[in-house]
Amino acid sequence: MRVVRHAPAVRADVERGPVPAVVRAALDRPEFLADQPNLVLRLGPDGVPGARTVMFNVHLDTVAGEQPVSFDGARFHGRGAIDAKGPAVALLAGIRSARARRPAIGRDVGVLVQAVAGEEGGAMGVFGTRPLVQAGYTGRLNVFCEPTGGRFLARCTASMTARVVVEGTDAIDDRPGEGHNASVLLGFLAQWLGHALDPYAARAAVCVAGLRTGARHNKVYGSGALSLNLAYSSMDAGRRMEREVEAALHGGLDAFAARFADTMLFARTAADAHAITRLEWLKRGLPVLDDRHAWGHALLQRAGIPSWPPDEPAFTCDAIWMSQIPGTCTVVLGPGDLAANNAHADGEFADAADLAAFADAVSRLLIAFTDDSNGAP
């Protein structure tokens, strides 16, 4: 395989579309992008058209936190073992196996590998996958390597992040009622919003996340923030959820004002609840993937790769950016399970047998694509 690109995204490319707040805040640091290059490998000549090309995408960044590294002969432990450094190595093994069995791979059929940064940490691929997709490093079939239990997933949610911010007046513990109590207000709103948004949990993930005011025992904190992360499976659903969050917050503030108006400790907070509270959107407007390419799905099944069950919830990954490229098939496929393999958590692991099975699936898929493109083995 040849290196056809090894460079970080440039700021202009990152800002060509929605940018999560966590990324936008970091863009002013020159080293932020410079230290996170993306790599594109190609097997085959540049002249192989996209219609005869398979693209694989795998991310090299991981969530924060070091994990002890070990291998006992059957199981790898370490940060990124399953998400997604282990699948990255297995992917290369699968490509090598397919090439040995079908010399047309790399001659008549092209293979691209995107090895990207910026998939984790809320970056959503805006300085990794999205610029590479926009630059045309795609194929007729596009496979994003994430843990799916060896099944191909043809739909991916996107997520949006909301932050409820309270900016009030602090108070000392001797006169707690003279200030605004952001801890009590945000705690109330966390419960209120959780209950209001619970009906959406049947269709997508709703995460009532971090609440921050302060840690001291002898101070009333007048300011703080509550974060919500909300997945959606269609753009219409995302817009509806935005409206629901805004309406639920307004209702929660009304309820808090009514409930605590006559209290000694929180009357001022109740009276000013609307004035000191605002809603910020740190991330929204991202696309979703809902691939219905019959040819590609049939090809995957002929290669012996089962489909993700329709009643099992999907998840979010960089594959969402392929939804804007017409005439292509895009799926998510990889070994293991995000939860069962402790991805993002202590004890993350990948079984060697699962990695080998994924390598074999990649090989079968490339051989099926090549035979389909050439009309015969």
Side-chain angles (χ1 to χ4, degrees), residues 3 21 37 41-42 97 103 123 171 201 208 221 277 289 293 326 336 371:
V3 175
L41 303 174
R42 181 186 295 276
S97 171
V208 181
Y221 292 93
T277 305
L289 176 71
H293 202 297
D371 293 349

Short mmCIF file of all heavy atoms in Angstrom, two decimals, residues 3 21 37 41-42 97 103 123 171 201 208 221 277 289 293 326 336 371:
data_model
loop_
_atom_site.label_atom_id
_atom_site.label_comp_id
_atom_site.label_asym_id
_atom_site.label_seq_id
_atom_site.Cartn_x
_atom_site.Cartn_y
_atom_site.Cartn_z
N VAL A 3 1.27 5.44 0.65
CA VAL A 3 0.74 6.60 1.37
C VAL A 3 0.38 7.67 0.33
O VAL A 3 1.23 8.15 -0.40
CB VAL A 3 1.78 7.16 2.36
CG1 VAL A 3 1.26 8.44 3.00
CG2 VAL A 3 2.11 6.12 3.42
N ALA A 21 -18.54 22.49 19.61
CA ALA A 21 -17.90 23.55 20.39
C ALA A 21 -16.55 23.12 20.92
O ALA A 21 -15.63 23.93 21.02
CB ALA A 21 -18.82 23.97 21.53
N PRO A 37 -2.59 14.31 12.60
CA PRO A 37 -2.69 14.09 11.16
C PRO A 37 -3.57 12.89 10.83
O PRO A 37 -3.80 12.01 11.67
CB PRO A 37 -1.24 13.83 10.75
CG PRO A 37 -0.62 13.21 11.96
CD PRO A 37 -1.27 13.91 13.13
N LEU A 41 -4.07 5.39 2.88
CA LEU A 41 -3.28 4.40 2.16
C LEU A 41 -4.07 3.93 0.94
O LEU A 41 -5.31 3.83 1.00
CB LEU A 41 -2.97 3.19 3.05
CG LEU A 41 -2.25 3.46 4.36
CD1 LEU A 41 -2.16 2.18 5.18
CD2 LEU A 41 -0.87 4.02 4.10
N ARG A 42 -3.37 3.64 -0.14
CA ARG A 42 -4.03 3.13 -1.35
C ARG A 42 -3.31 1.86 -1.81
O ARG A 42 -2.08 1.82 -1.88
CB ARG A 42 -4.02 4.16 -2.48
CG ARG A 42 -4.72 3.67 -3.75
CD ARG A 42 -4.57 4.64 -4.90
NE ARG A 42 -5.23 5.90 -4.66
CZ ARG A 42 -6.53 6.12 -4.89
NH1 ARG A 42 -7.29 5.13 -5.36
NH2 ARG A 42 -7.06 7.30 -4.66
N SER A 97 -4.64 -10.82 3.22
CA SER A 97 -5.14 -12.15 2.88
C SER A 97 -5.91 -12.13 1.56
O SER A 97 -5.74 -13.01 0.71
CB SER A 97 -6.04 -12.66 4.01
OG SER A 97 -6.70 -13.84 3.64
N PRO A 103 -5.23 -11.68 -6.98
CA PRO A 103 -4.24 -10.70 -7.47
C PRO A 103 -4.87 -9.49 -8.15
O PRO A 103 -4.20 -8.46 -8.30
CB PRO A 103 -3.40 -11.51 -8.46
CG PRO A 103 -3.56 -12.93 -8.01
CD PRO A 103 -4.96 -13.03 -7.49
N ALA A 123 -15.54 15.03 18.92
CA ALA A 123 -15.08 15.71 17.71
C ALA A 123 -15.90 15.33 16.49
O ALA A 123 -15.96 16.09 15.51
CB ALA A 123 -13.60 15.40 17.47
N ALA A 171 -23.41 33.01 47.34
CA ALA A 171 -23.73 33.43 48.71
C ALA A 171 -22.87 32.65 49.68
O ALA A 171 -22.37 31.57 49.36
CB ALA A 171 -25.22 33.21 49.01
N ALA A 201 -36.04 7.69 24.73
CA ALA A 201 -35.03 6.66 24.98
C ALA A 201 -35.35 5.36 24.27
O ALA A 201 -34.46 4.52 24.07
CB ALA A 201 -34.89 6.42 26.48
N VAL A 208 -28.46 12.13 30.32
CA VAL A 208 -28.39 13.26 31.25
C VAL A 208 -27.03 13.15 31.91
O VAL A 208 -26.80 12.27 32.73
CB VAL A 208 -29.54 13.22 32.27
CG1 VAL A 208 -29.45 14.42 33.21
CG2 VAL A 208 -30.89 13.18 31.56
N TYR A 221 -23.23 28.08 45.55
CA TYR A 221 -22.74 28.39 44.20
C TYR A 221 -23.86 28.94 43.34
O TYR A 221 -24.89 28.29 43.14
CB TYR A 221 -22.15 27.14 43.56
CG TYR A 221 -20.86 26.69 44.23
CD1 TYR A 221 -20.88 25.74 45.25
CD2 TYR A 221 -19.64 27.23 43.86
CE1 TYR A 221 -19.71 25.33 45.87
CE2 TYR A 221 -18.46 26.83 44.48
CZ TYR A 221 -18.51 25.88 45.48
OH TYR A 221 -17.34 25.50 46.10
N THR A 277 -30.86 31.57 33.73
CA THR A 277 -30.65 30.28 33.06
C THR A 277 -30.75 30.45 31.56
O THR A 277 -31.63 31.14 31.05
CB THR A 277 -31.71 29.26 33.53
OG1 THR A 277 -31.68 29.16 34.95
CG2 THR A 277 -31.43 27.88 32.94
N LEU A 289 -26.70 8.51 9.19
CA LEU A 289 -26.56 7.53 8.10
C LEU A 289 -27.77 6.60 8.10
O LEU A 289 -28.12 6.03 9.13
CB LEU A 289 -25.28 6.70 8.29
CG LEU A 289 -25.06 5.58 7.26
CD1 LEU A 289 -24.71 6.19 5.90
CD2 LEU A 289 -23.97 4.62 7.72
N HIS A 293 -28.66 0.85 0.23
CA HIS A 293 -28.07 0.43 -1.04
C HIS A 293 -28.23 -1.09 -1.17
O HIS A 293 -27.46 -1.86 -0.59
CB HIS A 293 -26.61 0.83 -1.09
CG HIS A 293 -26.05 0.94 -2.46
ND1 HIS A 293 -25.95 -0.14 -3.31
CD2 HIS A 293 -25.55 2.00 -3.15
CE1 HIS A 293 -25.40 0.24 -4.44
NE2 HIS A 293 -25.15 1.54 -4.38
N PRO A 326 -23.60 10.53 -2.80
CA PRO A 326 -24.57 9.70 -3.52
C PRO A 326 -23.89 8.54 -4.24
O PRO A 326 -22.70 8.57 -4.56
CB PRO A 326 -25.21 10.67 -4.50
CG PRO A 326 -24.16 11.72 -4.74
CD PRO A 326 -23.43 11.86 -3.43
N GLY A 336 -16.20 -7.61 18.08
CA GLY A 336 -16.49 -7.26 19.46
C GLY A 336 -17.72 -6.40 19.62
O GLY A 336 -18.50 -6.16 18.70
N ASP A 371 -14.82 -10.11 -7.32
CA ASP A 371 -15.50 -11.03 -8.25
C ASP A 371 -16.72 -10.39 -8.86
O ASP A 371 -17.03 -10.59 -10.04
CB ASP A 371 -15.88 -12.31 -7.52
CG ASP A 371 -14.66 -13.12 -7.10
OD1 ASP A 371 -13.54 -12.81 -7.55
OD2 ASP A 371 -14.83 -14.07 -6.29
#
